[in-house]
Amino acid sequence: MSVETVMNDQHNEDEGVVLTEAQKRARRSRSIAIALALAVLVILFYVMTLVKGPGVLVRPV
Amino acid sequence: MSFVSEGAKLTGPLAGAPDFAPAEPSLATGSDYFALLKPRVMSLVVFTALVGLAVAPGSLHPVTAFTALLCIAVGAGAAGALNMWYDADIDAVMTRTSRRPIPAGRVKPGEALAFGLTLAGFSVMTLGVLVNVYAAALLAFTIFFYVVIYTIGLKRTTPQNIVIGGAAGAFPPMIGWLAVTGSLSVEPALLFLIIFFWTPPHFWALALYRQQDFARAGIPMMPNVAGEVSTRWQIMLYTLTLVPLGIAPWLLGFAGPIYAAVSIVTGAIMLLLAWQVLRERAPAERASRNLFAFSILYLFLLFAVLLVERGWGGLLA
């Protein structure tokens, strides 16, 4: 058995759960949704900070 | 027990370990999670909150107003996701809800729970930080009320479930008002009462022609518990209370002549349809369907006219 074969076997053993194509597509869809949500949140906080100006630090409760 | 679902194969050192059950790879897509937010309910919540914002005295920067509406929408969506998490078992046996993401097997209950809690936390926190803490506090209470009081506490135990639970759907205009003013008054309370008294005729009309669905799920809706005749009378009584409340914004000087005309005409139609429901007997269901459909238009028209007539003063700085 060559060194390369042993390394490939080791690599296959480390793969863990192998996703089907449908699961990969679903994961991609979820990842895009999460990325978009985070982007919206970042933009929202950025724009709101500009809108409020120094008032953003005033937090009367 | 199977390790993995939908054809995914587990390889490597874990492949032969029968007692180990790692999380199954999910097939849920972004649109499944969006469906958890109950987008149609969310759109009504956003609309009524928008009216609360617009009719409130004072001004709000458009971006701040948008932020407030976004937070209210996401908060409502979070409540919807938590509702679907808790109700997955009864959703599975009702025709109307069996294709929802959890009973259909596309989203796991734990995923929906985590999703709902995360969105609830973020929406309340963001509203509090970027708009004001009073609106955020009421949004938090609304989510709590819908999930804990209505979904967990009332829905499966009492035929008054949607009467009391209807308050959750009536809070959004108050949240919108609070976002602008930071305080409450008669006007937002009136908007609350209109939605509160609109809810029973609306849902009981549906419950009349979906009785078997609710019975199969074991939900004690009014027609299943008190009977059809009693429900039809109660629909009439709630409609009799609702119609004057619908006209009240004009009577109290909060709204103008267009609102007066619309609220009187549509109120009369509501009463006529409630009367037809009162006279109808199963298996006929046309009057109930008509009342259910028109009640949506009724609420929409009242709030839309208020929005147009009172202008966008609360939205524009």
Side-chain angles (χ1 to χ4, degrees), chain A:
Chain A
M1 190 181 285
S2 69
V3 174
E4 192 179 338
T5 310
V6 171
M7 286 179 70
N8 280 342
D9 287 349
Q10 183 68 43
H11 175 72
N12 287 337
E13 283 184 2
D14 291 343
E15 276 181 352
V17 175
V18 179
L19 300 182
T20 63
E21 282 308 309
Q23 287 165 345
K24 282 181 184 170
R25 277 197 301 276
R27 184 177 62 179
R28 182 187 299 274
S29 164
R30 293 196 301 272
S31 300
I32 291 171
I34 292 168
L36 286 174
L38 286 175
V40 167
L41 204 60
V42 168
I43 293 167
L44 191 68
F45 270 79
Y46 179 71
V47 174
M48 280 300 295
T49 306
L50 294 181
V51 166
K52 284 182 168 261
V56 78
L57 297 174
V58 181
R59 308 289 325 145
V61 175

Side-chain angles (χ1 to χ4, degrees), chain B residues 217-283:
Chain B
I219 303 175
M221 291 300 281
M222 193 58 80
N224 305 68
V225 177
E228 272 195 31
V229 175
S230 170
T231 305
R232 291 173 197 277
W233 270 107
Q234 291 192 62
I235 285 176
M236 181 47 110
L237 291 174
Y238 273 96
T239 309
L240 281 168
T241 312
L242 169 67
V243 171
L245 279 170
I247 303 169
W250 170 65
L251 293 174
L252 295 174
F254 299 149
I258 303 173
Y259 182 89
V262 170
S263 62
I264 290 169
V265 171
T266 54
I269 297 172
M270 279 293 287
L271 283 171
L272 177 68
L273 292 175
W275 173 252
Q276 288 175 348
V277 169
L278 184 63
R279 295 184 59 185
E280 187 179 56
R281 289 291 176 268

Side-chain angles (χ1 to χ4, degrees), chain B residues 142-299:
Chain B
T142 304
I143 297 170
F144 169 81
F145 196 94
Y146 185 68
V147 177
V148 179
I149 306 292
Y150 169 67
T151 305
I152 298 176
L154 300 170
K155 187 171 178 178
R156 302 177 192 220
T157 56
T158 167
Q160 297 296 330
N161 47 15
I162 55 104
V163 179
I164 305 164
F171 283 129
M174 295 178 95
I175 303 173
W177 182 284
L178 270 174
V180 179
T181 64
S183 63
L184 291 172
S185 61
V186 177
E187 220 171 341
L190 201 50
L191 297 181
F192 171 90
L193 287 174
I194 290 172
I195 302 178
F196 185 79
F197 281 94
W198 166 87
T199 307
H202 171 74
F203 270 110
W204 286 339
L206 171 78
L208 277 173
Y209 65 87
R210 292 278 191 189
Q211 265 190 76
Q212 290 179 338
D213 243 11
F214 287 113
R216 201 162 48 238
I219 303 175
M221 291 300 281
M222 193 58 80
N224 305 68
V225 177
E228 272 195 31
V229 175
S230 170
T231 305
R232 291 173 197 277
W233 270 107
Q234 291 192 62
I235 285 176
M236 181 47 110
L237 291 174
Y238 273 96
T239 309
L240 281 168
T241 312
L242 169 67
V243 171
L245 279 170
I247 303 169
W250 170 65
L251 293 174
L252 295 174
F254 299 149
I258 303 173
Y259 182 89
V262 170
S263 62
I264 290 169
V265 171
T266 54
I269 297 172
M270 279 293 287
L271 283 171
L272 177 68
L273 292 175
W275 173 252
Q276 288 175 348
V277 169
L278 184 63
R279 295 184 59 185
E280 187 179 56
R281 289 291 176 268
E285 57 184 42
R286 190 171 172 183
S288 307
R289 285 181 180 273
N290 286 344
L291 178 63
F292 176 75
F294 185 77
S295 63
I296 299 170
L297 182 66
Y298 172 74
L299 191 69

Side-chain angles (χ1 to χ4, degrees), chain B residues 15-38:
Chain B
D19 295 332
F20 184 78
E24 295 182 4
S26 176
L27 273 172
T29 62
S31 54
D32 288 324
Y33 278 95
F34 184 68
L36 282 178
L37 303 177
K38 294 192 177 181

